[in-house]
Amino acid sequence: MAEVKQLLSLIIDTFKSSEGHALVGNPSEVDEWLSYASSFGVRSEFEGACAHANNYLSLRTYFVGNDLTVADITIVAYLAKAGPRWESFRKSAKFPNLVQWYNCILVQYPAIANVLPSRGAGKPAPEVSKSSSATAVSAEAKETVDGSFEVDLPGAEMGKVCTRFPPEPSGYLHIGHAEAVLLNQFFAQKYKGRLIIRFDDTNPAKEKDEFVESILQDLDTLGVKGDVITYTSDYFPQLMEIDTEREQMQLEREAMIESKYRNQTVEENLKLWKEMIAGSTRGVQCCVRAKMDMSNPNASLRDPVYYHCNPTPHHRVGSKYKVYPTYDFACPFVDSIEGVTHALRVLEDMQLRKVHVWDFSRLIFVYTLLSKRKLQWFVDNGRVEGRYDPRFPIVQGIIRRGLTIEALKQFILSQGASKNLNLMEWDKLWNINKKIIDPVCPRHTAVLSEGKVLLDPSNGPETPFTRVILRHKKYVPAGKKATVFTKKIWLDHADATAVSEGEEVTLMDWGNCFIRKIERDQYGLITRLQGEFHVEGSVKTTKLKLTWLPKTSELVPLTLVDLDHLIVKKKLEENDDFVSVLNPVTRIESAAVGDSNMRNLQRGEIIQLERKGYYICDVPFLRSSKPIVLISIPDGRQQKPPGQQR
């Protein structure tokens, strides 16, 4: 014990000198954990103490509040002094929440790690990823984001940089598009330059005004405001005037075989070009290709297509044109004309002003489909609710699932200038999101309807009474809520089965209660608990802290929704049939009842259901016969593979 106190004193002194501020927290809660911490120093109680702390940290970043306190540092000291016993747990998956908490403190506060014993305690265990902890992710992301701020664009001059985001209005923006536009905006702002939003409307068969409006809405949601909005179709006349003498017919580039039309005369090509302009039967069979290098190892540079014929009316210019440039041809041309200075294009082939190329890796997530065609299949086959389904990786979908724009921005900037094509887990993104919502989202209570059990304390209040308390004990702006206290209260079935006769438990926001009798039906299922309030009892002496709801007609019906990935294979290969790896169950609904304050929830409002997790309100309260729909928000903890969530 003396060694722990000595180490604790050293850690606190080191923290104060390196961080320059005091360790603060709710005194009563800190004292509670300081008293409990000694359990980590008793060999026979060590594993049980770890289990209790691991469970407590399942929905928390720190032991008290939202910042490091003496309680955290004390437990760090005890664990470090435990030596091999603690190190063995760090290398296992037995107490993941506790290990993540411990590792993230060492990552975020290196000064603390440096004064710990040298038996590996000062280094995060390699088996546990930093991205599994909200705080560790934040520290890692901050380091990477700060690094991305130092990226210098080639040829960039302050006040002269112009970037662009060129979406095709043929679908909805997904998370990969969000990465592109946020990075373009970041560099435009960094160099005090301009951002152009340019719709690449060169394929009338797929494009609609509906998608234009949706993309503009998504950009507004992301907080992106371009300096100007343009359309590639505005430049069709100039594009058609570009020299086409070297552009030829279609060829199967994969085989690196030259087309039999590759060496046609200029006169023959111009004749076919006129057929394309007219949209004739012969014209729609043709395309214009650049005469380049058919042996180039990059297949996209083997005589690429520059123009195709499509008589379908255009959503902006109608039937004025029958030929349309491809993205690869039109985008660099318009980049040069509009003054873009930095883009992912090479323009020397058309003898235009050079635009600098800056590469960044594309976001590739596990168990995720980004293809418009494949996502549309889910809509057409009734596998999802619609285009904005919260299981879709499009901007509106992930926001509907509870992702904040700030988390998305932090995550994307944390990727910085990385050019590695990594298959990414969703955990890191949701972990960042948790750190943002946890300190501010209101707390409410829900009890699952199936098997809920009445607790009937003999000395409960004969007349119900109400107290007004904060919706978030540490964040006053979250507002207040009215909590009703009644003689009989509802408990979750799982909590009822966890208690024992004679056990003292804590009813959160009320006090302690003894369980005097457990009543069961003929099948052994618990139907009722009899108890006796002991409200003056200490929370420190109880093992179970239970959420509850009053037995009153004012409770509101809820539908709690858990979502899973749409496919069960981590990464689809090019030749994979995605239909063969569909997840059979991707939406699980559970009926519940919630406190009456939830009648006031607004669509899109994020809350925490105590001891259940974070949720976003998808359908607010309308009437008592129609449940409020709450969608579960992932918190970044390691999940089971798709199809095994329950």
Side-chain angles (χ1 to χ4, degrees):
M1 182 70 72
E3 290 183 355
V4 173
K5 289 184 177 180
Q6 184 178 5
L7 176 59
L8 177 59
S9 177
L10 178 60
I11 293 175
I12 292 176
D13 290 342
T14 301
F15 177 87
K16 288 181 178 178
S17 62
S18 63
E19 298 297 322
H21 60 82
L23 295 160
V24 296
N26 184 295
S28 61
E29 294 183 43
V30 170
D31 288 345
E32 178 183 341
W33 281 106
L34 291 180
S35 300
Y36 187 82
S38 60
S39 300
F40 292 95
V42 180
R43 180 177 293 273
S44 60
E45 298 178 12
F46 182 74
E47 186 169 348
C50 287
H52 175 62
N54 182 72
N55 181 62
Y56 182 82
L57 290 170
S58 63
L59 292 175
R60 296 172 175 86
T61 303
Y62 298 102
F63 278 94
V64 179
N66 300 308
D67 292 298
L68 192 74
T69 66
V70 175
D72 298 282
I73 289 182
T74 301
I75 295 175
V76 166
Y78 272 104
L79 292 175
K81 275 299 182 181
R85 284 177 296 163
W86 171 236
E87 289 305 309
S88 67
F89 285 142
R90 288 182 73 199
K91 295 175 182 178
S92 72
K94 192 166 187 178
F95 305 123
N97 301 322
L98 183 61
V99 170
Q100 293 162 9
W101 162 85
Y102 185 89
N103 285 345
C104 81
I105 288 179
L106 303 191
V107 170
Q108 190 168 4
Y109 303 103
I112 294 177
N114 291 336
V115 299
L116 295 181
S118 59
R119 287 171 292 193
K123 298 181 292 184
E127 287 77 8
V128 181
S129 168
K130 289 187 290 185
S131 64
S132 298
S133 163
T135 305
V137 163
S138 177
E140 180 187 24
K142 183 177 185 301
E143 178 181 349
T144 312
V145 171
D146 288 347
S148 73
F149 275 78
E150 300 305 317
V151 172
D152 291 322
L153 295 178
E157 296 182 45
M158 192 62 66
K160 296 183 179 181
V161 167
C162 180
T163 62
R164 53 86 170 126
F165 175 61
E168 180 185 2
S170 60
Y172 303 97
L173 294 192
H174 55 60
I175 193 168
H177 297 125
E179 175 194 29
V181 70
L182 289 173
L183 285 174
N184 273 286
Q185 176 179 252
F186 166 70
F187 284 113
Q189 292 176 344
K190 175 179 178 179
Y191 289 99
K192 302 186 187 310
R194 299 168 63 241
L195 169 63
I196 295 173
I197 304 298
R198 182 199 311 140
F199 286 97
D200 179 53
D201 51 346
T202 57
N203 190 349
K206 296 182 178 180
E207 296 157 1
K208 300 177 182 178
D209 285 328
E210 168 195 347
F211 296 128
V212 173
E213 295 304 318
S214 173
I215 291 171
L216 290 174
Q217 177 187 344
D218 288 345
L219 293 177
D220 183 65
T221 301
L222 292 170
V224 173
K225 182 175 177 58
D227 293 278
V228 64
I229 297 176
T230 66
Y231 297 81
T232 299
S233 56
D234 294 335
Y235 299 91
F236 283 173
Q238 296 99 309
L239 283 161
M240 292 182 67
E241 292 175 2
I242 292 179
D243 179 18
T244 61
E245 292 182 5
R246 297 183 297 121
E247 299 163 355
Q248 307 296 329
M249 299 298 294
Q250 185 177 7
L251 181 67
E252 294 182 356
R253 290 178 302 196
E254 292 291 332
M256 292 191 235
I257 300 174
E258 292 187 0
S259 167
K260 63 180 181 179
Y261 301 111
R262 194 170 194 264
N263 296 310
Q264 282 186 152
T265 65
V266 172
E267 290 74 21
E268 289 175 308
N269 285 335
L270 287 175
K271 180 180 178 181
L272 292 173
W273 173 243
K274 290 179 181 178
E275 294 285 344
M276 291 176 64
I277 291 176
S280 67
T281 302
R282 176 60 176 141
V284 297
Q285 298 172 343
C286 303
C287 67
V288 176
R289 305 183 64 195
K291 193 173 184 180
M292 297 176 71
D293 182 5
M294 284 303 298
S295 63
N296 194 304
N298 185 344
S300 64
L301 296 180
R302 298 172 196 160
D303 288 8
V305 175
Y306 276 178
Y307 262 95
H308 58 93
C309 181
N310 191 334
T312 304
H314 189 277
H315 71 102
R316 288 190 74 237
V317 297
S319 300
K320 183 176 181 179
Y321 300 99
K322 303 295 191 299
V323 291
Y324 295 94
T326 60
Y327 174 89
D328 290 336
F329 181 65
C331 195
F333 174 85
V334 181
D335 280 349
S336 183
I337 296 298
E338 290 189 337
V340 172
T341 60
H342 293 79
L344 301 180
R345 292 295 161 207
V346 179
L347 306 182
E348 288 89 341
D349 181 52
M350 289 187 287
Q351 300 178 349
L352 297 171
R353 178 185 57 78
K354 181 177 180 180
V355 173
H356 291 283
V357 175
W358 186 78
D359 294 316
F360 59 90
S361 62
R362 182 166 59 96
L363 289 179
I364 306 175
F365 283 95
V366 296
Y367 307 114
T368 301
L369 299 169
L370 295 180
S371 162
K372 299 172 188 175
R373 177 183 61 83
K374 293 173 182 175
L375 294 180
Q376 186 61 44
W377 182 91
F378 285 90
V379 176
D380 294 341
N381 287 273
R383 295 273 183 157
V384 294
E385 294 179 352
R387 298 183 186 276
Y388 292 154
D389 191 280
R391 287 162 288 190
F392 274 3
I394 64 173
V395 170
Q396 295 300 327
I398 56 179
I399 289 174
R400 184 179 169 192
R401 193 169 183 180
L403 185 72
T404 62
I405 298 302
E406 180 58 30
L408 182 59
K409 288 181 178 178
Q410 285 188 24
F411 174 78
I412 287 173
L413 290 180
S414 77
Q415 307 309 304
S418 172
K419 299 182 181 182
N420 298 321
L421 290 176
N422 297 321
L423 188 62
M424 307 191 70
E425 300 284 346
W426 284 92
D427 297 354
K428 181 176 180 180
L429 176 57
W430 289 116
N431 234 325
I432 295 173
N433 194 61
K434 173 190 172 183
K435 184 180 179 184
I436 291 171
I437 64 177
D438 180 73
V440 298
C441 70
R443 271 53 171 170
H444 287 274
T445 303
V447 170
L448 295 176
S449 299
E450 184 177 1
K452 68 181 188 295
V453 176
L454 269 181
L455 169 59
D456 185 3
S458 59
N459 57 344
E462 295 297 334
T463 302
F465 65 94
T466 302
R467 290 178 186 159
V468 176
I469 62 176
L470 293 175
R471 294 175 79 200
H472 189 309
K473 292 183 175 64
K474 301 181 185 300
Y475 187 65
V476 176
K480 298 179 180 181
K481 62 182 178 181
T483 299
V484 180
F485 298 80
T486 56
K487 180 174 176 58
K488 298 179 181 181
I489 61 176
W490 291 111
L491 299 181
D492 271 310
H493 180 264
D495 287 341
T497 59
V499 303
S500 304
E501 287 190 358
E503 182 178 5
E504 185 177 9
V505 300
T506 296
L507 300 174
M508 294 173 62
D509 292 326
W510 196 338
N512 287 5
C513 181
F514 286 104
I515 305 300
R516 297 305 187 190
K517 184 178 180 181
I518 300 176
E519 300 180 8
R520 303 176 185 271
D521 62 14
Q522 58 182 327
Y523 304 104
L525 299 177
I526 297 176
T527 57
R528 183 168 172 263
L529 299 176
Q530 295 185 33
E532 180 184 356
F533 273 118
H534 182 221
V535 292
E536 66 274 14
S538 173
V539 66
K540 301 176 184 178
T541 63
T542 60
K543 176 183 176 183
L544 298 176
K545 280 72 175 173
L546 308 180
T547 46
W548 55 274
L549 284 174
K551 186 178 185 297
T552 170
S553 60
E554 294 300 310
L555 300 181
V556 295
L558 307 175
T559 297
L560 306 184
V561 179
D562 286 297
L563 301 175
D564 202 353
H565 295 290
L566 293 172
I567 58 175
V568 296
K569 186 173 183 180
K570 268 197 168 186
K571 182 183 179 183
L572 284 183
E573 303 301 331
E574 186 175 348
N575 296 323
D576 282 345
D577 176 16
F578 74 95
V579 178
S580 67
V581 291
L582 295 180
N583 187 353
V585 180
T586 62
R587 182 183 175 103
I588 301 172
E589 297 185 356
S590 302
V593 289
D595 64 73
S596 60
N597 301 277
M598 296 170 72
R599 295 171 185 267
N600 300 318
L601 291 180
Q602 302 297 310
R603 189 173 192 272
E605 185 173 354
I606 291 175
I607 64 171
Q608 183 189 80
L609 293 181
E610 298 274 17
R611 298 178 59 238
K612 285 182 169 58
Y614 305 96
Y615 288 81
I616 184 169
C617 180
D618 194 52
V619 178
F621 180 82
L622 296 175
R623 54 185 179 276
S624 297
S625 60
K626 187 174 178 60
I628 297 171
V629 178
L630 301 176
I631 296 177
S632 176
I633 304 174
D635 60 10
R637 288 183 294 169
Q638 190 69 35
Q639 300 291 322
K640 294 180 180 179
Q644 302 178 28
Q645 298 294 335
R646 285 195 174 183

